[in-house]
Amino acid sequence: GCGKSTLVEKCITGKKGVVSVLVSSVFDKERILQKMSTKIMGKDTPAVTEEELVAALHDAKVGGRLATVVFEIERGEGAEQTACIRNVRSLSKMFAQVCNCIIILSEANAILVFGQDGAREQYILVPDLSDAEALEYIRARKGGDVDVKEMMRLFNSAGTNAAKLLKFVSQDVSVDEFIGKELGKAEQDLAAFSLKPILKALKENPEGVSPKYFNNEKYEGIDLTDPVAVGAAMKGSNAILYDMKEGRYKLISQAQQVALRNYEPIVRYWFSTVLW
């Protein structure tokens, strides 16, 4: 209800090379593909495959600019919603090689702290692309060959998040300049994160830390074994997430993992006294 759909609609109205698709939570891949086909090629089009739509989107460039597909996913419940989001994400990863993809989750702002809506909390963050997918993503936007060695250096330092890669492609900066900016911002995110014991634990365990690791430990009045309580504190920083599938606190980005190697969290414990 904060205006996501209205904002996107204002931006795409009257623009060529844009396909906007409203997806119900009960849609499977075939229904999503059919709806896209109808939008692109008109009514009564026969069933299409993912490969055929990739070709159609590749040809939908306007003035050399990539086409854009907007998926708006209606609010749903349980397994149907989870399957729908998974289908849209899967299609977007394939289409991203030939077009830009925007996914709008309705009522995404309903997530205020962890533990309120498990089915949607699993999908708030888009996972990084594989190195091969990231190379294809950059090639599609640069329109030619790229220095693979330099790109791998970029991926290892700043990660392969699609939004971050798009920022790199759109800016006239060197790989070194971009890495420097991303690592600088990552260190700022770490400094802003208030629960330093989690950062200290992640420095020793970069793959993630279970809340059980803290054994009912409190830091500045917050029980570190409680993801819901920790979630409220996380809203002030873009450093940490709680992986619902793995049950672990994790750093959000590759850049933060790199920055944490040289960042030393200062831990100040909070104590309370009970008088009887």
Side-chain angles (χ1 to χ4, degrees):
C2 66
K4 300 177 294 297
S5 303
T6 301
L7 174 63
V8 173
E9 185 178 349
K10 290 282 186 183
C11 293
I12 67 176
T13 298
K15 300 291 193 304
K16 294 181 179 180
V18 178
V19 181
S20 181
V21 183
L22 182 64
V23 181
S24 167
S25 63
V26 299
F27 278 20
D28 55 20
K29 269 191 180 182
E30 287 68 29
R31 292 185 69 180
I32 297 172
L33 290 170
Q34 188 59 53
K35 195 159 188 178
M36 290 183 64
S37 175
T38 299
K39 286 271 188 174
I40 296 172
M41 295 176 271
K43 294 182 178 180
D44 303 321
T45 56
V48 294
T49 64
E50 295 176 28
E51 290 74 16
E52 288 172 326
L53 263 181
V54 166
L57 289 167
H58 179 269
D59 295 337
K61 286 184 179 179
V62 177
R65 179 171 53 83
L66 294 177
T68 297
V69 177
V70 179
F71 294 102
E72 181 167 7
I73 303 176
E74 291 185 320
R75 188 73 166 101
E77 299 295 335
E80 285 184 344
Q81 175 85 111
T82 300
C84 178
I85 296 173
R86 185 179 293 115
N87 287 332
V88 171
R89 280 178 48 193
S90 174
L91 290 171
S92 294
K93 288 187 77 170
M94 172 171 279
F95 296 149
Q97 297 181 30
V98 295
C99 71
N100 297 307
C101 296
I102 299 173
I103 302 174
I104 305 173
L105 294 176
S106 64
E107 301 176 44
N109 59 314
I111 307 299
L112 299 178
V113 294
F114 293 109
Q116 290 190 350
D117 194 342
R120 291 170 69 76
E121 286 171 11
Q122 294 182 36
Y123 295 102
I124 292 301
L125 292 167
V126 178
D128 283 5
L129 302 175
S130 68
D131 289 346
E133 290 168 340
L135 284 170
E136 287 303 313
Y137 186 92
I138 289 179
R139 286 188 180 113
R141 282 149 185 80
K142 279 188 169 293
D145 292 333
V146 297
D147 187 327
V148 174
K149 186 176 180 179
E150 282 291 275
M151 290 303 98
M152 294 305 297
R153 194 160 65 85
L154 173 69
F155 300 162
N156 290 334
S157 296
T160 57
N161 174 273
K164 195 166 288 187
L165 295 179
L166 183 60
K167 185 165 72 171
F168 168 71
V169 171
S170 62
Q171 295 177 356
D172 185 22
V173 295
S174 68
V175 170
D176 284 328
E177 288 174 315
F178 188 79
I179 290 174
K181 287 181 180 178
E182 289 301 313
L183 291 182
K185 184 178 183 305
E187 187 164 342
Q188 290 176 359
D189 290 335
L190 297 176
F193 185 64
S194 60
L195 306 183
K196 301 303 182 185
I198 295 180
L199 292 182
K200 186 175 179 63
L202 285 169
K203 189 160 186 172
E204 299 169 2
N205 306 276
E207 71 284 353
V209 179
S210 167
K212 296 178 182 178
Y213 177 93
F214 298 100
N215 192 27
N216 294 322
E217 182 178 304
K218 285 191 175 182
Y219 179 73
E220 296 185 355
I222 295 173
D223 184 349
L224 300 180
T225 65
D226 183 355
V228 176
V230 171
M234 288 180 180
K235 292 191 292 181
S237 168
N238 291 320
I240 302 292
L241 65 90
Y242 179 67
D243 190 313
M244 297 287 292
K245 294 179 180 177
E246 298 182 13
R248 295 189 292 181
Y249 299 128
K250 301 170 75 172
L251 290 165
I252 288 177
S253 72
Q254 175 70 15
Q256 288 164 355
Q257 291 189 27
V258 174
L260 186 57
R261 295 170 192 164
N262 297 316
Y263 176 79
E264 197 57 51
I266 299 175
V267 178
R268 297 187 182 92
Y269 285 98
W270 175 91
F271 297 96
S272 63
T273 302
V274 178
L275 299 178
W276 296 90

